[in-house]
Amino acid sequence: MAVYKTDLQDIYFNLFDFCGVQEEAKELGYGEAELRDIVDQFDKFVGNEIYPTRVPGDEIGVKLVDGHVRVPEVFKPLNKNFYENGWYALGYPEDIGGMPAPHAVKVACYSLAIGANVGWSMYFGLTQGAMNVIHKVGSQEQKDLFIPKMMEGSWGGTMCLTEPGAGSDVGASKTTAKPTDDGRYEINGVKIFISSGESDLYENNVHLVLARTPGSPEGVKGLSLFIVPRFRINDDGTVGDYNGVKCTKIEEKMGIHGSATCELTFGQDEKCYGEMIGKEHQGIMNMFIMMNEARLLCGLQGESQANLAFMLTEQYARERGQFGTEIINLPDVKRTLIKMRSTARGLRALGLYTANLFDAAEKGDKNAEAEIAFFTPICKAFMSDEGFNVSVDAVQVHGGYGYCTEYGIEQFIRDTKIASIYEGTNGIQAIDFVMRKILKDEAKTFFSVGEKMKAIMNSEEAKSWPHEVSMIGKSMEMSELVVKKMGKQMMDKNEGAVLAHATDFMNYCGNLVVAWLLLEHACIAKKKIDSAEGDLKKYYQSKMDDFKVFCQYQLTRNIGLANSVLNFEEDLTTMSV
């Protein structure tokens, strides 16, 4: 049976050799050694505390008992230790009780936690998302009331958007918020598919709820955001009476069994009160603070599970004997493993590159802000889709044992698939990417990222891979033709043609971006390999191999994708299904 193992060498390469987070950390009083220690200690916590709960949490799942949600018991000591050891506080400012750290370091750590138990990770992940909204747009009174309790782990958080008749179409929401004489609002409605909607991990659940005040316009422009606790809060800050928020159903799902996906009713059997956060009719804008973070977390769900699935599968392949040798020596298995590794590492590179932009953006770097917006839909969709594909390969290498539950490998497929569905389906991410992040932006960020690609392609080290660099160059040329064609289609009022090919083009750009990042990695490895010895030398060689293999097996897909987008002239919108 494979044991938990992390590719720390690759994480450190991304953080220090590629992203250079040690420079940012100087302002925080950290050196590289201290940052390595944070990651190393967190990895030990993951291996000792989080990973052992992965399979039991999946097998036991959540239960609705006497109208209350019960999580697997193994989650309770884990959750307690997570907060008490200060891991929830990682990356937050000291003035709210946090432990400052570069954003990429926080993401590297949380990726390990998510990969080890994605179902449990959603409880603290959604809590952080809700708390971040309160921290950014809440009143001082709201910050003082909610943030300390959420930081210490007493109160959890959620976001409540989806309704029975308003899934991806959030603007169709019917939940209402009626003002009362004391400044509060009476909330009434039903929300569904609410991740971590209720649990007994926290003494109170703080819901951020989109609702419509009387006389509000239709659509998303009429939505406001409200803080609605499960239990009312007494004047002294303690938990009070039931607030009319009830879990009426938990979904039976394909995966993430340890995460409570709830139907929540507000004000059905007792009055439910909330308070507005932010300004009226700015609910969707404020909720997007949380939604964008959630979309990046969805990407991490794909990346993290892909990397852990590879690590476990590599161990299995080294131990499993067939045909007189370990199966890792069989050509088809070795090809699959190296393909898995190159893709999983490429997803890590994309996630940490994007995470590293956040510190610059917080200091007012507009280019970093633009790149975060540009890469967010790629991270969410491409990382979740390709993470799922790596998980499928993991089962294939394990053979019959992978299809059975004994090794816990099939769980990766079940747990990863949801990431391409929630927080805006990947099709919606593609539409956002093409329509807003490229066409509405007049392709400014698209071309500025292209200039970064060209810079590394023209470097001395890149000359070692003329064929692969030529493939990237050709892919860039074709991408520009696609953007030009889509721009013309929009001018011709042929929006349907653009939308029909949005997913293909986003996948195209995902392949291209990851190939670029792996080229950057290969060039760094090329500079260092001659002075390296032993395992480090082997690692640098693997980085160069990753680049070549990714180009061979992933980037080549762009030939077909470009042909489809550029040369398929049939109007899909007129075809019948």
Side-chain angles (χ1 to χ4, degrees), residues 36-107:
R36 284 176 178 264
D37 188 57
I38 289 173
V39 177
D40 184 60
Q41 292 303 315
F42 190 84
D43 183 54
K44 291 177 181 177
F45 181 84
V46 172
N48 294 331
E49 304 264 359
I50 301 177
Y51 183 68
T53 69
R54 178 177 177 267
V55 171
D58 177 64
E59 293 175 343
I60 298 167
V62 294
K63 311 292 182 185
L64 189 59
V65 181
D66 297 328
H68 302 285
V69 176
R70 301 288 182 247
V71 304
E73 284 296 318
V74 292
F75 285 7
K76 294 178 181 178
L78 163 59
N79 210 60
K80 181 174 181 289
N81 292 338
F82 180 74
Y83 282 90
E84 289 183 351
N85 281 282
W87 294 123
Y88 180 90
L90 181 64
Y92 282 111
E94 290 179 331
D95 63 356
I96 63 169
M99 180 173 72
H103 195 72
V105 171
K106 174 178 180 174
V107 168

Side-chain angles (χ1 to χ4, degrees), residues 42 109 118 156 183 196 205 291 313 402 491 514 537:
F42 190 84
C109 289
V118 65
S196 310
N205 296 92
M291 288 173 66
T313 304
M491 290 180 66
V514 171
K537 194 177 189 76

Side-chain angles (χ1 to χ4, degrees), residues 466-528:
H467 175 62
E468 289 79 11
V469 170
S470 175
M471 289 172 64
I472 294 176
K474 184 63 176 176
S475 202
M476 291 176 66
E477 290 176 14
M478 298 297 283
S479 72
E480 293 177 11
L481 292 177
V482 172
V483 170
K484 184 177 180 180
K485 179 178 180 179
M486 287 182 164
K488 184 177 185 304
Q489 287 172 327
M490 290 300 294
M491 290 180 66
D492 294 341
K493 309 297 183 183
N494 190 7
E495 183 178 288
V498 176
L499 299 182
H501 291 294
T503 292
D504 282 344
F505 189 53
M506 187 174 66
N507 288 333
Y508 184 105
C509 290
N511 289 327
L512 179 56
V513 165
V514 171
W516 155 54
L517 294 173
L518 290 179
L519 172 59
E520 294 255 17
H521 286 200
C523 289
I524 295 171
K526 180 73 175 176
K527 291 179 182 178
K528 293 176 173 285

Side-chain angles (χ1 to χ4, degrees), residues 3 22 66 74 96 123 137 167 178 207 309 434 558:
V3 297
Q22 61 272 35
D66 297 328
V74 292
I96 63 169
Y123 292 102
V137 301
K178 181 181 178 181
H207 305 290
V434 170
N558 281 7

Side-chain angles (χ1 to χ4, degrees), residues 273-323:
Y273 295 100
E275 55 184 285
M276 187 178 292
I277 177 170
K279 296 181 180 179
E280 188 174 18
H281 301 154
Q282 292 186 1
I284 197 69
M285 180 179 69
N286 292 330
M287 185 64 95
F288 258 103
I289 297 170
M290 190 173 185
M291 288 173 66
N292 283 329
E293 292 175 5
R295 288 171 177 176
L296 292 171
L297 283 174
C298 286
L300 285 183
Q301 288 180 12
E303 173 273 318
S304 62
Q305 292 182 93
N307 274 290
L308 182 55
F310 166 71
M311 298 299 288
L312 298 178
T313 304
E314 180 197 23
Q315 292 179 62
Y316 175 83
R318 292 187 185 281
E319 298 168 359
R320 173 68 168 165
Q322 290 285 280
F323 305 107

Side-chain angles (χ1 to χ4, degrees), residues 329-374:
N329 297 316
L330 303 177
D332 184 65
V333 174
K334 179 169 282 189
R335 173 193 63 82
T336 303
L337 286 168
I338 296 175
K339 183 165 70 78
M340 289 172 65
R341 185 189 69 195
S342 68
T343 301
R345 284 181 172 177
L347 300 181
R348 175 184 286 135
L350 175 57
L352 292 182
Y353 174 84
T354 304
N356 196 46
L357 295 168
F358 277 77
D359 291 321
E362 288 181 5
K363 295 178 180 178
D365 187 327
K366 297 300 181 183
N367 291 329
E369 287 182 14
E371 282 198 29
I372 290 170
F374 181 81

Side-chain angles (χ1 to χ4, degrees), residues 58 252-259 261 411 414-416 418:
D58 177 64
E252 296 294 332
K253 308 184 297 295
M254 171 181 172
I256 55 170
H257 293 155
S259 173
T261 306
Q411 186 182 337
R414 293 186 291 104
D415 284 355
T416 305
I418 186 60

